[in-house]
Amino acid sequence: MNQHPQSAPLPDPFPPQQAYLAIELKPVDPAEKRRLAALRRHVQAHTHTTDLRGLAGAVKKLLGPGYDIGCGSAHIWVQRTGEAARLAIVADRLTTAYRDWFEPPFKPAPGTSRSPHRRLPVPGASLTT
């Protein structure tokens, strides 16, 4: 099939992503801690991708048996086999904010009124009251 010489290639259907690993549960032993550290190094070395599913094979290989792994185009989740809680997740830093198990929970800054949003000044109104 001949392609028209002036036709442009189709753009990638997925936006660029910045992969990161969030370990949501404390490792159960030193061996699991080493596997998760190796996984984190691998993810950090492969942060720019358009489809995180490409990292799923490495996740399975680095963790080995005893883990259930699932994925979508924007995440890879890891559970210990037989457990309901998620152990870790590889996600896109541009659209998510998962945290490691040892990090404090996110607390939004308090607002100055009932609304946490700052109010814009009314045009023509005095800024001093």
Side-chain angles (χ1 to χ4, degrees):
M1 177 182 218
N2 290 337
Q3 187 176 13
H4 192 282
Q6 293 182 347
S7 65
L10 293 175
D12 194 335
F14 297 106
Q17 298 178 32
Q18 292 180 7
Y20 73 104
L21 174 69
I23 302 168
E24 298 180 310
L25 296 177
K26 185 175 182 177
V28 293
D29 58 29
E32 184 175 75
K33 185 176 182 179
R34 284 191 302 276
R35 287 191 297 270
L36 290 168
L39 178 57
R40 177 165 283 162
R41 286 189 300 273
H42 182 81
V43 170
Q44 287 174 338
H46 299 87
T47 57
H48 292 80
T49 183
T50 55
D51 190 343
L52 292 179
R53 290 177 287 198
L55 295 173
V59 171
K60 289 179 184 181
K61 184 177 180 181
L62 288 167
L63 292 178
Y67 298 92
D68 296 326
I69 295 156
C71 63
S73 62
H75 69 283
I76 301 168
W77 54 262
V78 178
Q79 290 177 305
R80 295 178 186 118
T81 299
E83 292 188 15
R86 185 172 61 209
L87 170 62
I89 187 164
V90 177
D92 174 23
R93 187 173 304 283
L94 300 174
T95 59
T96 64
Y98 295 105
R99 303 176 72 75
D100 284 331
W101 64 272
F102 55 83
E103 293 180 304
F106 175 74
K107 292 182 182 177
T112 56
S113 66
R114 283 187 256 154
S115 171
H117 305 288
R118 293 183 64 193
R119 296 184 188 267
L120 295 175
V122 177
S126 172
L127 293 178
T128 60
T129 38

